[in-house]
Amino acid sequence: MHQADTWPPLYVANMSIHLKITTSLSLPLVSLLILVCLLFTNTIHANQDHDLIHESCQRTPYPRTCESTLRLDPRSGNQGSVGLALIMIDVVKLRFADSLGTVNRLILKKAWDVDDQLDETTVKALRRCASLYKVVLEADVPVAREAVEKGDPKFGVDSMVDSSIEADACERGLVAAGKLRSLLTEKNKKLQEISNVAAALIKLLME
């Protein structure tokens, strides 16, 4: 006869209750440990992503602009260097598109409002800005994105540098016209900054 067969019924019942209690307590504990491990792992990844953004942006000409811009994009949290460069190219596209919209509204306002104070020299400068912005949107941005995606970042750097040059050319044209300096100067300054940041992030891919 086995030893278990000689145990008193009360002892066996107590063992059964003990096992049930132990099992019921251990399952939540295991779940809690798994949750803690997952949170710890996510924290490590988040810190690594934070470090990559910070370290990359410190090597650009405008670190604060770079870091704040990337952190505003929800995609930046799990990206490598290539992903961060592509995000910044997207930002360049959005900023130039916004500025082009502003310029087009000013030109249309002049066309429909005979009392508008913009003279023809200024309108001509605005049209040139529109053309320069379109070059960025239709040529520089697509080339930069393709270059980064295909692993040939040099052309991406050149394209983003060209974007900065186009914004500067727009600003110089408006200054020469003597109008709208206060309206578009800040936009063109931001366009140059973000373009140079994008160029710097892409250049890091060449190392």
Side-chain angles (χ1 to χ4, degrees), residues 37-80:
C37 289
L38 288 173
L39 290 174
F40 182 71
T41 302
N42 289 336
T43 300
I44 292 175
H45 287 312
N47 289 336
Q48 289 174 341
D49 294 335
H50 177 276
D51 289 341
L52 179 60
I53 291 174
H54 180 73
E55 290 172 6
S56 298
C57 287
Q58 288 300 309
R59 299 177 66 183
T60 70
Y62 304 99
R64 292 180 62 182
T65 297
C66 173
E67 193 160 345
S68 62
T69 300
L70 286 175
R71 296 200 185 286
L72 283 175
D73 195 303
R75 297 173 296 171
S76 66
N78 60 352
Q79 297 291 331

Side-chain angles (χ1 to χ4, degrees), residues 21-35:
I21 292 174
T22 303
T23 302
S24 63
L25 289 175
S26 62
L27 287 175
L29 181 60
V30 170
S31 299
L32 179 61
L33 289 174
I34 292 174
L35 179 60

Side-chain angles (χ1 to χ4, degrees), residues 88-172:
M88 198 59 71
I89 293 172
D90 286 343
V91 175
V92 170
K93 180 179 179 179
L94 289 173
R95 297 281 178 86
F96 271 91
D98 175 71
S99 295
L100 178 60
T102 299
V103 169
N104 285 336
R105 284 192 294 274
L106 289 170
I107 294 173
L108 285 174
K109 185 175 183 295
K110 173 62 179 178
W112 288 96
D113 186 358
V114 294
D115 295 326
D116 192 280
Q117 297 182 359
L118 296 181
D119 56 37
E120 288 303 319
T121 302
T122 302
V123 172
K124 183 178 180 180
L126 285 172
R127 290 199 180 102
R128 182 167 182 266
C129 284
S131 297
L132 293 169
Y133 292 164
K134 286 179 180 178
V135 169
V136 173
L137 293 171
E138 296 173 5
D140 292 328
V141 167
V143 168
R145 171 166 280 279
E146 183 178 8
V148 171
E149 290 176 338
K150 291 186 175 181
D152 192 7
K154 182 181 183 305
F155 291 104
V157 174
D158 294 341
S159 294
M160 290 296 93
V161 170
D162 187 64
S163 297
S164 177
I165 292 172
E166 305 289 22
D168 180 62
C170 166
E171 181 61 25
R172 286 188 284 105

